Amino acid sequence: FHQTPVIAIDGPTASGKGTVATLVAAQLGFHLLDSGALYRLAALASLRYEIAPDAADDLAALVGDLHITFREGCAQLDGVDVSNEIRAEEIGNRASAIAVHQAVRAALVARQRAFRKEPGLVADGRDMGTVIFPDAPLKVFLTASVEARAARRYKQLIQKGFSANMDDLLRDLRERDARDSNRAVAPLKPAADAKLLDTSALTIDQAVDQVVQWYQAQ
Ligand code: CDP
Ligand code: CDP
């Protein structure tokens, strides 16, 4: 039994998990785990070390040895800030490809659970409520239409200085949704006790308020 509260926020790509999780954590004074960043860092490292996305055991060994730090919203790999680099769609797609392997996922479990510290944690990803923190007192599953998500991701990529194409993005999002939802290990799906929140027509503040309200109402 674990006393330290966790708010698990899962959902498909660009549903708003990261943004909502960051703001909820700030409001409650909780720690933050962006689990997708771990998979993205692993993807970046696999590119650097030229490990193929299907080499499950080599990837798991790599992931076990990764030297990662998160500081003030920045993600570092081997002491170098790669926060911007890991946001490329190419890295997101590769992260999704390596995340299908059980050995890779297993190598990240303890690292993720170590983020659970007082006074509490907000964790976002795909399997926070189902696998990593099954005892989380609040589980939220964020959704939004694929069109709304593609439009958000488009805006976000342009703002970060990446080039983007709406048709390619829609295709990639659908492909990533299908792969994340249909994989055998830890597929993207709401936990049985998750609260569903469709953010298609919500502002960020409305989504954040709803999550905080659910947490405080417990
Ligand atoms: O973490 P995830 O991929 O689920 O999504 P995100 O990076 O938090 O959000 C994708 C983009 O959608 C961000 O630029 C958010 O500002 C935006 N967003 C929005 O416009 N309305 C919402 N209700 C939630 C997020
Ligand atoms: O920002 P976006 O929602 O597109 O992706 P992300 O949360 O940064 O995660 C990138 C990829 O890592 C996802 O497409 C998933 O395949 C994988 N992932 C996962 O399998 N489990 C998690 N807890 C988080 C991410």
Side-chain angles (χ1 to χ4, degrees), residues 109-194:
V109 170
R111 224 186 255 261
Q112 294 176 85
R113 290 190 179 145
F115 280 79
R116 188 174 196 170
K117 288 188 202 137
E118 290 296 330
L121 174 68
V122 183
D124 87 272
R126 300 292 186 288
D127 61 344
M128 297 298 98
T130 49
V131 176
I132 305 298
F133 304 109
D135 63 340
L138 175 61
K139 300 175 187 177
V140 178
F141 195 84
L142 286 189
T143 56
S145 68
V146 70
E147 291 79 12
R149 292 187 286 121
R152 288 174 186 174
R153 188 44 52 89
Y154 180 85
K155 211 169 134 196
Q156 206 178 20
L157 285 169
I158 298 296
Q159 276 170 358
K160 285 189 189 286
F162 292 106
S163 64
N165 170 294
M166 203 52 188
D167 290 337
D168 292 349
L169 265 179
L170 267 171
R171 190 201 57 220
D172 285 354
L173 283 198
R174 289 200 169 99
E175 197 181 302
R176 195 122 74 88
D177 284 354
R179 187 164 47 203
D180 290 350
S181 305
N182 297 327
R183 68 183 175 212
V185 195
L188 170 68
K189 63 159 199 259
D193 51 349

Side-chain angles (χ1 to χ4, degrees), residues 37-216:
L38 290 175
Y39 287 91
R40 285 171 181 266
L41 285 161
L44 180 62
S46 75
L47 269 180
R48 288 195 180 161
Y49 294 101
E50 297 182 2
I51 300 175
D54 59 355
D57 293 339
D58 291 348
L59 288 167
L62 171 79
V63 163
D65 286 344
L66 280 184
H67 180 59
I68 291 170
T69 28
F70 289 106
R71 201 166 294 147
E72 285 155 22
C74 291
Q76 296 184 333
L77 183 62
D78 295 327
V80 179
D81 185 356
V82 291
S83 316
N84 217 34
E85 223 176 320
I86 58 169
R87 291 299 142 197
E89 278 303 282
E90 182 205 357
I91 298 293
N93 291 329
R94 195 175 176 98
S96 158
I98 70 173
V100 302
H101 305 301
Q102 167 60 28
V104 171
R105 307 197 69 84
L108 285 171
V109 170
R111 224 186 255 261
Q112 294 176 85
R113 290 190 179 145
F115 280 79
R116 188 174 196 170
K117 288 188 202 137
E118 290 296 330
L121 174 68
V122 183
D124 87 272
R126 300 292 186 288
D127 61 344
M128 297 298 98
T130 49
V131 176
I132 305 298
F133 304 109
D135 63 340
L138 175 61
K139 300 175 187 177
V140 178
F141 195 84
L142 286 189
T143 56
S145 68
V146 70
E147 291 79 12
R149 292 187 286 121
R152 288 174 186 174
R153 188 44 52 89
Y154 180 85
K155 211 169 134 196
Q156 206 178 20
L157 285 169
I158 298 296
Q159 276 170 358
K160 285 189 189 286
F162 292 106
S163 64
N165 170 294
M166 203 52 188
D167 290 337
D168 292 349
L169 265 179
L170 267 171
R171 190 201 57 220
D172 285 354
L173 283 198
R174 289 200 169 99
E175 197 181 302
R176 195 122 74 88
D177 284 354
R179 187 164 47 203
D180 290 350
S181 305
N182 297 327
R183 68 183 175 212
V185 195
L188 170 68
K189 63 159 199 259
D193 51 349
K195 292 188 185 297
L196 300 190
L197 184 57
D198 187 329
T199 67
S200 307
L202 294 187
T203 65
I204 292 168
D205 286 347
Q206 287 172 324
V208 170
D209 286 350
Q210 177 61 260
V211 175
V212 171
Q213 196 186 313
W214 276 332
Y215 179 70
Q216 287 170 343

